[in-house]
């Protein structure tokens, strides 16, 4: 499979040079037919060119000049169509145009009834045929990899396609992925800025599906949801032909719209153009989970066909939860090499518990070798010893039962939200309206979302105070991310937060101002109950305002919080926070606050939120309460 990938790259890296039109009368005839049929305006031609309408008109989202045969092909579909027909008659092109763009050729041949005997050379492409034969695509599935709470780049999740052959196991298929080619030396800020501004090139790639499963499920602690698509083999073929056209072609990658999920939709539209999936996502931002819903809404997935592949971390935590205390600790010691596997066999536990303890030790070892936390020789010795001990018990019968299946992503609330309501601040009442294009916080119903992950993009709220007849922007979070992942004896993730926002802050009892601020924190989270965690974060924050004594304040402090689900459909988030100025304004005392935020699920797309907070800022104390109705959409 790897050899095939290298072969594909080598083939398609040999990009076509600009075509030279021929004076062949058959070419003129084909161009005339194409113009009469209006093929340059055909929706399928626009799919093949990845055209999208913008403010200045239609343009292709592909930015690589190798993808176009006409100099103006990026913005002129008619010119690109004529250049493609020219290419069929250009003997100088290597590889020939019908091999470089097999998807375009197949479509034009069907629409124009091209007679291959009248072309200057026979449109045979043994290289493309070899690729199609090797992949042997019969069916396609969409895969959603859930976000990993400790990786900002993955917190929205990721989608890719699985190409299935006639082989029984899907692990023997291929994965079609679209991703940014990033620079490992880029830090978090550089990575974020370049990702938001199109600073990376995105590429399609084809790789063994097993490698993707190993990467996401085995190493990155990400669950995978597999959605088999009901595409016929006749629909799968144009998808594959278009994929061949895109190998080695660069497109500017943007986190929020031209991302992994959106670009994949062009392949599915090439397979079933009536689905018009790219058209449903032309809204300025695209979240992987939303593309899964779009595919479901288009009827591409049959009911009940969704499969869940839990991550190795989920399986380890589940297996550990089923063991008695002694076997739970022993399995970890055996995996660490601090106890021999025979110590599990000699204990008082039942055979089933011993078998599960040894299975857990084996799973831990496989996790650690995948994470490169141990030497291979050491792994082999311990793994062999564990398997030898396991053979002394009943094979298979006492295996650990699978972890309970969570709600699939599509059952979660939609990613955008608006809200309206009212409340009081101090002695004054107000009305409030707000918006959030994306995507989830701790008071939203958690089904379908990564536990512990909070991500809000461009979330804001405005308030109207009838008594003083004034309107003000209360807050606007350009980006707010928080990750709280509890530690345990096996996994010890860090909890952290980051926020860049503007918000209205009090400076006296009668004066407030809009303050730009940025902050970050890092700490630890522990599980305190089945559906509750507590966290502690050390924090730093920078804020600027001419109302500060030095026009700025850099502060340090921390926060303590609890998130919980006391009852099904009731989310609770309690937090206390204190920040004291250490640079700039330092003499006004610490900003202290305590808040209780609650969300009550009314339906999948409707929730009631009730917040209560007490704060003391610059020695001014206020209480505030709000009650809002929240509607999720998209």
């Amino acid at each position: 499979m790897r050899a095939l990938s290298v072969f594909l790259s080598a083939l398609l890296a040999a990009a076509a040079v600009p075509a030279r039109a021929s004076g062949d009368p058959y070419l003129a005839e084909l161009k005339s037919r194409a113009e009469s049929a209006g093929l340059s305006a055909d929706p399928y031609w626009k799919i093949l060119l990845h055209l999208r309408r913008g403010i200045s008109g239609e343009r292709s989202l592909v930015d690589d000049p190798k993808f176009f045969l006409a100099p103006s092909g990026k913005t002129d579909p008619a010119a690109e169509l004529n250049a493609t027909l020219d290419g069929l008659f250009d003997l100088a092109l290597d590889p020939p145009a019908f091999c470089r763009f097999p998807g375009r050729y197949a479509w034009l041949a069907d629409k124009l009834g091209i007679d291959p005997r009248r072309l200057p050379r026979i449109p045979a492409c043994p290289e493309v045929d070899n690729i199609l034969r090797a992949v042997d695509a019969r069916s396609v599935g969409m895969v959603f990899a859930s976000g990993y709470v400790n990786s900002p780049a993955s917190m929205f999740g990721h989608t890719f396609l699985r190409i299935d052959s006639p082989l029984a196991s899907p692990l023997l298929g291929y994965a079609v992925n679209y991703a940014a080619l990033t620079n490992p030396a880029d830090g978090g800020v550089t990575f974020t800025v370049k990702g938001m501004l199109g600073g990376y090139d995105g590429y399609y790639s084809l790789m063994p599906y097993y490698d993707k499963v190993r990467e996401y499920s085995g190493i990155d602690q990400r669950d995978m949801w597999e959605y088999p698509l009901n595409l016929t083999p006749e629909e799968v073929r144009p998808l594959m032909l278009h994929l061949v056209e895109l190998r080695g072609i660069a497109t500017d990658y943007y986190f929020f719209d031209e991302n992994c999920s959106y670009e994949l939709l062009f392949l599915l539209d090439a397979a079933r153009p009536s689905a018009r999936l790219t058209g449903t996502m032309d809204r300025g931002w695209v979240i992987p989970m939303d593309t899964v819903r779009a595919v479901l809404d288009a009827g591409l997935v049959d009911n009940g066909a969704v499969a869940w592949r839990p991550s190795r971390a989920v399986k380890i935590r589940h297996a550990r939860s089923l063991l008695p205390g002694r076997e739970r600790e022993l399995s970890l010691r055996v995996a660490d090499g601090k106890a021999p596997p025979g110590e599990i066999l000699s204990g008082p536990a039942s055979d089933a518990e011993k078998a599960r303890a040894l299975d857990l030790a084996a799973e831990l070892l496989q996790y650690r070798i995948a994470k490169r936390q141990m030497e291979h020789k050491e792994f082999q010795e311990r793994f062999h010893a564990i398997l030898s001990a396991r053979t002394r018990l009943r094979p298979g019968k006492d295996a650990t039962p699978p972890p309970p299946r969570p709600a699939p992503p599509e059952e979660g609330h939609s990613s955008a939200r608006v809200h309206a309501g009212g409340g009081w601040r101090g002695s004054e009442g107000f009305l409030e309206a707000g918006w959030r294009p994306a995507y989830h916080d701790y008071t939203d119903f958690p089904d379908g979302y990564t536990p512990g992950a909070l991500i809000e993009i461009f979330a804001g709220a405005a308030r109207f105070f009838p008594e003083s007849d004034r309107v003000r922007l209360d807050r606007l979070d350009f980006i707010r991310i928080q990750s709280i992942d509890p530690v345990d004896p096996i996994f010890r993730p860090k909890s952290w937060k980051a926020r860049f926002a503007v918000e209205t802050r009090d400076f006296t009892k009668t004066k407030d101002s809009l303050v730009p601020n940025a902050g970050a924190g890092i700490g630890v989270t522990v599980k305190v109950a089945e559906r509750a965690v507590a966290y502690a974060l050390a924090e730093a924050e920078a804020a600027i305002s001419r109302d500060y004594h030095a026009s700025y304040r850099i502060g340090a402090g921390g926060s303590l919080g609890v998130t919980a689900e006391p009852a099904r459909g009731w989310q609770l988030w309690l937090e206390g926070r204190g920040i004291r100025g250490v640079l700039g304004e330092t003499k006004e005392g610490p900003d202290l606050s305590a808040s209780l935020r609650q969300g009550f699920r009314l339906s999948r797309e409707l929730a009631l939120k009730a917040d209560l907070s007490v704060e003391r800022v610059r020695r001014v104390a206020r209480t505030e309460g709000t009650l809002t109705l929240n509607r999720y959409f998209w």
Side-chain angles (χ1 to χ4, degrees):
M1 292 182 177
R2 293 181 189 283
L4 174 62
S5 297
V6 172
F7 175 66
L8 270 167
S9 299
L11 169 66
L12 298 177
V17 298
R20 294 179 300 170
S22 162
D24 193 303
Y26 189 46
L27 171 59
E29 180 185 333
L30 291 178
K31 285 186 175 179
S32 176
R33 282 194 223 163
E35 184 176 0
S36 299
L39 293 190
S40 64
D42 191 285
Y44 197 80
W45 181 245
K46 296 181 180 181
I47 290 170
L48 291 177
L49 296 185
H50 293 207
L51 287 179
R52 187 163 79 175
R53 180 165 292 282
I55 297 175
S56 58
E58 284 186 323
R59 68 176 184 88
S60 173
L61 299 185
V62 178
D63 300 291
D64 195 326
K66 298 195 300 291
F67 189 67
F68 306 101
L69 292 172
S72 60
K74 182 176 174 65
T75 56
D76 189 344
E80 186 61 20
L81 191 143
N82 280 330
T84 302
L85 291 173
D86 286 337
L88 300 179
F89 291 79
D90 190 342
L91 296 174
L93 288 181
D94 185 23
F98 43 75
C99 296
R100 178 65 190 85
F101 298 104
R104 296 187 192 182
Y105 174 71
W107 182 71
L108 288 171
D110 177 63
K111 291 293 182 182
L112 298 176
I114 294 176
D115 182 353
R117 295 169 299 180
R118 298 179 65 184
L119 297 179
R121 52 184 169 183
I122 298 174
C125 301
E127 298 91 346
V128 175
D129 292 339
N130 288 338
I131 294 168
L132 298 180
R133 193 178 302 115
V135 176
D136 198 11
R138 302 299 178 88
S139 59
V140 176
M142 174 176 259
V143 181
F144 175 80
S146 66
Y148 174 39
V149 68
N150 253 314
S151 170
S154 78
M155 290 180 79
F156 283 111
H158 178 67
T159 55
F160 58 96
L161 301 180
R162 189 186 72 206
I163 307 296
D164 293 326
S165 71
L167 298 173
S169 174
L171 292 177
L172 299 177
Y174 286 88
V176 177
N177 193 50
Y178 178 83
L181 182 62
T182 60
N183 185 347
D186 287 345
V189 174
T190 303
F191 175 79
T192 302
V193 171
K194 291 175 72 173
M196 293 177 67
L197 300 180
Y200 293 118
D201 286 336
Y203 289 93
Y204 293 87
S205 60
L206 185 70
M207 64 192 71
Y209 183 59
Y210 174 79
D211 282 353
K212 269 299 184 191
V213 173
R214 180 176 175 276
E215 175 189 351
Y216 285 144
S217 182
I219 299 176
D220 286 350
Q221 303 183 30
R222 302 171 68 173
D223 292 355
M224 298 171 68
W225 294 88
E226 300 169 335
Y227 300 83
L229 306 182
N230 51 24
L231 298 175
T232 65
E234 292 73 24
E235 291 174 315
V236 173
R237 181 175 173 80
L239 183 155
M240 292 300 300
L241 293 177
H242 189 44
L243 177 62
V244 170
E245 296 176 338
L246 293 166
R247 288 281 298 188
I249 297 297
T251 299
D252 292 346
Y253 188 99
Y254 295 86
F255 279 164
F256 294 133
D257 55 359
E258 296 178 43
N259 55 25
C260 63
S261 288
Y262 181 78
E263 295 291 338
L264 279 181
L265 298 182
F266 283 106
L267 295 174
L268 297 179
D269 276 348
R272 187 174 292 177
S274 61
R276 303 178 67 83
L277 295 170
T278 50
T280 64
M281 291 288 119
D282 284 342
R283 63 191 193 196
W285 66 92
V286 179
I287 294 173
M289 194 180 293
D290 292 341
T291 63
V292 173
R293 293 194 181 100
V295 167
L296 290 164
D297 292 343
L300 286 167
V301 181
D302 294 329
N303 289 335
V306 182
W308 175 54
R309 192 181 294 274
S311 70
R312 178 165 283 146
V314 167
K315 290 190 282 189
I316 287 173
R317 282 175 165 147
H318 172 69
R320 193 168 181 274
S321 71
L322 300 178
L323 291 174
R326 179 182 180 274
E327 280 63 34
R328 187 184 307 162
E329 301 308 316
L330 256 182
S331 60
L332 181 57
R333 293 183 62 209
V334 169
D336 288 341
K338 296 177 180 176
E343 199 166 324
I344 292 178
L345 295 177
S346 62
S350 67
D351 282 356
E353 291 168 337
K354 293 174 183 176
R356 292 171 184 175
L358 289 168
D359 290 344
L360 174 57
E363 196 77 55
L364 281 168
L365 273 183
Q366 293 179 77
Y367 175 75
R368 287 176 179 168
I369 191 66
K371 297 282 285 185
R372 300 182 179 179
Q373 294 175 347
M374 62 190 307
E375 297 295 328
H376 197 70
K377 183 173 183 299
E378 188 181 23
F379 165 78
Q380 284 182 315
E381 291 173 353
R382 287 187 206 168
F383 198 64
H384 180 265
I386 292 171
L387 293 184
S388 296
R390 184 66 175 85
T391 59
R392 297 170 63 181
L393 300 167
R394 291 177 297 179
K397 188 173 182 181
D398 297 320
T400 302
R405 174 175 162 137
E410 66 272 17
E411 290 187 10
H413 62 77
S414 296
S415 55
R417 187 186 76 187
V418 293
H419 74 260
W424 81 92
R425 179 172 176 79
S427 59
E428 191 173 9
F430 61 81
L431 301 174
E432 178 177 300
W435 60 91
R436 187 186 68 187
Y439 118 110
H440 184 75
D441 70 38
Y442 297 145
T443 62
D444 294 322
F445 195 58
D447 277 10
Y449 286 80
T450 303
L454 178 157
I455 308 177
E456 292 189 310
I457 307 290
F458 296 115
R463 290 178 175 176
F464 170 57
F465 292 82
E467 187 175 332
S468 55
D469 193 25
R470 63 187 179 123
V471 176
R472 73 177 191 182
L473 176 66
D474 184 66
R475 60 191 179 276
L476 175 60
D477 283 300
F478 298 106
I479 185 166
R480 182 181 191 183
I481 303 176
Q482 186 161 336
S483 164
I484 52 173
D485 193 9
V487 299
D488 59 39
I490 298 171
F491 303 101
R492 296 188 172 277
K494 293 182 177 62
S495 293
W496 56 274
K497 66 188 295 185
R499 185 188 185 202
F500 177 40
V502 293
E503 62 185 344
T504 298
R505 291 183 176 179
D506 290 325
F507 284 86
T508 67
K509 287 186 177 180
T510 58
K511 178 177 177 54
D512 57 37
S513 293
L514 203 58
V515 178
N517 63 90
I522 189 165
V524 66
T525 299
V526 295
K527 187 175 181 178
V528 295
E530 182 57 32
R531 294 180 178 274
V533 299
Y535 62 86
L537 302 176
E539 295 190 31
E541 181 189 84
I544 55 175
S545 171
R546 62 185 178 182
D547 292 310
Y548 285 130
H549 293 157
S551 297
Y552 76 98
R553 188 191 72 173
I554 295 177
S559 59
L560 299 171
V562 173
T563 66
E565 185 176 22
R568 183 74 172 161
W570 175 20
Q571 309 307 130
L572 181 150
W573 182 10
L574 177 65
E575 183 180 79
R577 183 170 184 261
I579 296 289
R580 174 180 285 277
V582 294
L583 289 174
E585 178 168 291
T586 60
K587 298 179 180 179
E588 293 294 336
D591 291 353
L592 301 174
S593 65
S595 60
L596 172 63
R597 302 171 188 170
Q598 300 175 87
F600 302 92
R601 183 178 189 259
L602 303 178
S603 69
R604 188 170 75 91
E605 304 289 28
L606 202 63
L608 193 66
K609 303 288 180 85
D611 298 345
L612 179 64
S613 64
V614 180
E615 63 180 28
R616 180 180 176 83
V617 178
R618 292 171 68 95
R619 299 189 177 89
V620 177
R622 291 187 192 276
T623 59
E624 178 179 303
T626 60
L627 182 66
T628 60
L629 187 63
N630 293 253
R631 177 75 165 86
Y632 304 90
F633 61 103
W634 277 346

